[in-house]
Amino acid sequence: MAKIAALTNTAEFSVTELSAALKRTVEDAYGHVRVRGEITGFRGPHASGHCYFSLKDEGAKIEAVIWKGVHGRMRFKPQEGLEVIATGKLTTYPGSSKYQIVIEALEPAGVGALMALMEERKAKLAAEGLFDAARKQLLPYLPEVIGVVTSPTGAVIRDILHRLADRFPRRVLVWPVRVQGEGSAEQVAAAIDGFNALPPDGPIPRPDLLIVARGGGSLEDLWSFNEEIVVRAAAASMIPLIAAVGHETDVTLIDFAADKRAPTPTAAAEMAVPVRAELFVEVTGLSRRMMLCWQRGQERRRTELRAAARALPATSDLLALPRQRLDNASAALPRALRASSHAHQRRFAQASAGLTLNVLRAQLALAGHRLDAAGERLSRCGRTALRQRRERFDALAARLQTATLANLQARRHHLAREQERLQRLSERSRRALTVAIQQQRARIHHAGQLLGALSYRGVLARGFALVRDENGAALPTAASIAPGARLMLEFADGRIGAIAEGEPSARGVQPQTTAEPQAKPVRSAPAKRASKSSDQGSLF
């Protein structure tokens, strides 16, 4: 019984009070903690943008939450099954009586986790075909403009510019980006897309070759070049791209998506342009070889021409046979001309024998009959064509008349509808004008009432007076009135003049004034009203 009585005397807590006490205890005891575990139950950001999941190991599990703003700033995003080290505050959630960690920073648990994540991402992008050799472009032999995506303050850009100046000076456009830390991946991808978006004939020349470069570092330092946004931008680049990230032993995913991988930024500059002196020597050698080949060809053709000339027969031998045939033809030509003229004369005589007067008359009569028949047929065809055209024109006239009537009727209906619409609009405009005039009148009336309420004449009607100097300016204090000054006192029913007397009081009491003799009967009534109030004071 004593034990029960002792428990009965224990202080009572509400559920909210107990939850708040536990929350304060947990937060005070564990302010900021670092927890290592495997992410489980992560299904992506919630509709609100917050992330809810759990961290677990072999023996326990703890709930975790990442707020929307923190998740947007994170370089490493949470993924299902990834082992991470989370930094944050331990707290409780009273709504479900559980404790949880509010994560402020997230990083993979060691290089092994980073390598596993990189291999998983590499397999995913390779399955999409971003690393296929068929997608890679050939580098231009001598680009006119070279675009460089790197940090403007590091040694990488100086090495690239120095090596380009030594080998073959070219125009270089530098797109400054961050190559490490938060937001660096987005800047690198934006730079690649920006170079590709430049027009070929714009004010800023479009590069013929791109170099994405960065110095060496750890896997965490180079992680920006393993992000999907950078790899996809490099794979989608229409400008040939050289990836020069890190040293020979450093491997990033952009190396597989780029058209060419350079072991160092300096090697990328060497791949971009040839050596100018070596190119001059090679061009000189090629020109010398071309001249020698041309000379040897000419000499060989000259020798072949001489050999062919020696093998040809003499001109007299070639022309002997044609000359003999010409002599024979010229000797036989007179006889052939006479025979041809006799033959043509015989054919003419035979043809003229058949052309008698009766034959010609018969042919003319036949031709006349044919002409009459053709004329009759032509007249019949003309009448038939005229009748058909007239019928077509009559049908078209009927259709045109019907269409004209229909169009006229439609126009009349349209005009009637428009007239009705005009009447409705005019009626609406009249109503709107009436309403607007009423509103303006109400506003003017309200403004007049407000002006009357705010006017100082209402104050004068309650027994107060407004003191002015002889120029009409208002005098708010007694210190601003000099002795003997002419004053103008304005009451609700008129104005009177007055002259100030005495010296202003140090405590700010207004000096006494005496009114002019002709104004004494006018101001007697306000003075009586002022004396009725104990705290009104004297106006003079």
Side-chain angles (χ1 to χ4, degrees):
M1 295 297 292
K3 184 176 182 181
I4 295 175
L7 292 176
T8 304
N9 295 329
T10 304
E12 295 181 355
F13 291 94
S14 66
V15 177
T16 302
E17 292 173 349
L18 184 59
S19 298
L22 292 175
K23 180 179 178 68
R24 288 193 300 269
T25 302
V26 171
E27 291 180 352
D28 293 342
Y30 302 95
H32 278 77
V33 295
R34 286 172 58 87
V35 181
R36 180 175 183 141
E38 179 183 343
I39 296 177
T40 180
F42 180 71
R43 298 295 181 268
H46 194 262
S48 61
H50 310 313
C51 300
Y52 302 97
F53 54 92
S54 302
L55 295 176
K56 70 173 184 177
D57 56 8
E58 295 81 359
K61 183 173 71 172
I62 182 175
E63 299 296 328
V65 59
I66 303 177
W67 302 129
K68 178 181 178 180
V70 177
H71 181 263
R73 295 192 303 267
M74 280 186 172
R75 184 177 62 176
F76 294 102
K77 307 298 182 183
Q79 296 184 14
E80 178 69 20
L82 182 65
E83 186 177 4
V84 297
I85 297 176
T87 303
K89 297 185 301 183
L90 201 64
T91 183
T92 63
Y93 180 58
S96 58
S97 299
K98 63 182 180 181
Y99 67 94
Q100 62 185 7
I101 179 173
V102 179
I103 297 177
E104 298 176 353
L106 195 67
E107 58 187 61
V111 179
L114 285 178
M115 291 300 297
L117 179 60
M118 189 174 104
E119 291 298 329
E120 179 184 356
R121 189 171 294 171
K122 177 182 176 182
K124 172 188 173 183
L125 297 177
E128 296 181 11
L130 300 183
F131 301 155
D132 292 346
R135 298 173 56 94
K136 300 185 182 299
Q137 308 176 71
L138 296 177
L139 302 182
Y141 181 71
L142 187 60
E144 292 291 334
V145 182
I146 300 175
V148 180
V149 180
T150 187
S151 173
T153 58
V156 172
I157 184 62
R158 292 195 295 270
D159 294 342
I160 292 176
L161 295 177
H162 179 69
R163 185 50 58 95
L164 289 176
D166 289 344
R167 292 175 65 87
F168 205 118
R170 296 279 87 183
R171 184 174 183 180
V172 178
L173 297 179
V174 180
W175 195 300
V177 297
R178 295 180 59 185
V179 295
Q180 180 180 344
E182 180 182 350
S184 57
E186 289 76 8
Q187 291 186 12
V188 173
I192 296 175
D193 295 338
F195 273 131
N196 281 270
L198 290 176
D201 53 352
I204 300 177
R206 191 169 187 261
D208 302 318
L209 179 67
L210 294 183
I211 298 177
V212 180
R214 189 206 185 280
S218 62
L219 183 59
E220 291 84 355
D221 296 338
L222 303 179
W223 190 256
S224 299
F225 298 91
N226 292 322
E227 297 290 347
E228 285 192 28
I229 185 173
V230 175
V231 178
R232 294 186 185 277
S237 175
M238 300 305 297
I239 303 175
L241 187 142
I242 300 176
V245 179
H247 300 301
E248 179 66 34
T249 57
D250 296 327
V251 179
T252 57
L253 294 183
I254 194 177
D255 296 335
F256 301 97
D259 300 306
K260 194 75 173 177
R261 177 186 179 269
T264 60
T266 304
E270 294 177 355
M271 293 179 182
V273 295
V275 180
R276 187 173 185 177
E278 295 178 357
L279 185 61
F280 284 161
V281 173
E282 184 178 358
V283 170
T284 304
L286 290 176
S287 62
R288 187 182 300 110
R289 291 176 58 188
M290 182 183 67
M291 184 59 66
L292 292 175
C293 292
W294 181 79
Q295 291 177 355
R296 286 196 296 269
Q298 291 296 104
E299 187 65 28
R300 184 172 62 253
R301 291 183 180 86
R302 191 178 293 109
T303 303
E304 291 175 355
L305 180 60
R306 290 173 183 156
R310 286 194 298 269
L312 289 175
T315 306
S316 58
D317 296 338
L318 291 174
L319 297 178
L321 185 59
R323 188 180 293 117
Q324 186 177 0
R325 288 200 297 270
L326 179 60
D327 294 340
N328 295 332
S330 60
L333 182 60
R335 294 192 301 272
L337 287 176
R338 287 192 295 272
S340 177
S341 62
H342 290 319
H344 282 84
Q345 187 175 6
R346 285 195 301 271
R347 285 197 298 272
F348 178 73
Q350 292 175 0
S352 61
L355 294 176
T356 59
L357 183 61
N358 294 330
V359 174
L360 292 176
R361 288 176 179 174
Q363 290 181 355
L364 288 175
L366 180 61
H369 289 305
R370 289 179 180 176
L371 184 60
D372 294 339
E376 186 177 357
R377 290 175 59 190
L378 181 61
S379 62
R380 288 198 303 269
C381 290
R383 289 192 297 270
T384 303
L386 183 61
R387 185 177 64 257
Q388 291 177 352
R389 291 294 178 88
R390 185 177 291 108
E391 292 175 356
R392 288 179 59 190
F393 288 157
D394 293 340
L396 290 176
R399 289 175 59 188
L400 181 59
Q401 184 177 5
T402 304
T404 304
L405 293 177
N407 190 12
L408 181 60
Q409 188 68 23
R411 288 290 182 181
R412 289 176 179 174
H413 290 314
H414 179 70
L415 289 176
R417 289 195 300 270
E418 291 297 327
Q419 187 174 5
E420 293 177 359
R421 181 168 175 268
L422 181 60
Q423 292 177 356
R424 291 196 301 270
L425 290 177
S426 62
E427 182 64 26
R428 289 175 60 187
S429 64
R430 283 194 297 271
R431 290 199 299 268
L433 182 59
T434 304
V435 172
I437 291 174
Q438 293 176 356
Q439 291 177 352
Q440 293 297 330
R441 287 177 178 173
R443 289 179 60 187
I444 292 173
H445 180 68
H446 178 70
Q449 292 178 348
L450 183 61
L451 181 61
L454 298 179
S455 176
Y456 72 95
R457 296 188 178 277
V459 180
L460 297 180
R462 295 199 298 271
F464 293 91
L466 178 62
V467 182
R468 301 177 184 269
D469 59 8
E470 57 183 354
N471 296 324
L475 301 174
T477 60
S480 60
I481 302 175
R486 289 184 175 274
L487 304 176
M488 181 63 67
L489 303 181
E490 182 178 353
F491 296 92
D493 56 351
R495 297 182 181 182
I496 63 172
I499 297 176
E501 293 181 355
E503 295 292 335
S505 175
R507 293 179 296 177
V509 180
Q510 297 180 354
Q512 299 292 329
T513 60
T514 59
E516 295 180 357
Q518 65 274 17
K520 288 181 180 181
V522 181
R523 60 186 179 90
S524 59
K528 290 180 181 180
R529 288 196 300 269
S531 62
K532 292 179 181 180
S533 178
S534 59
D535 58 348
Q536 178 67 29
S538 176
L539 295 176
F540 305 102

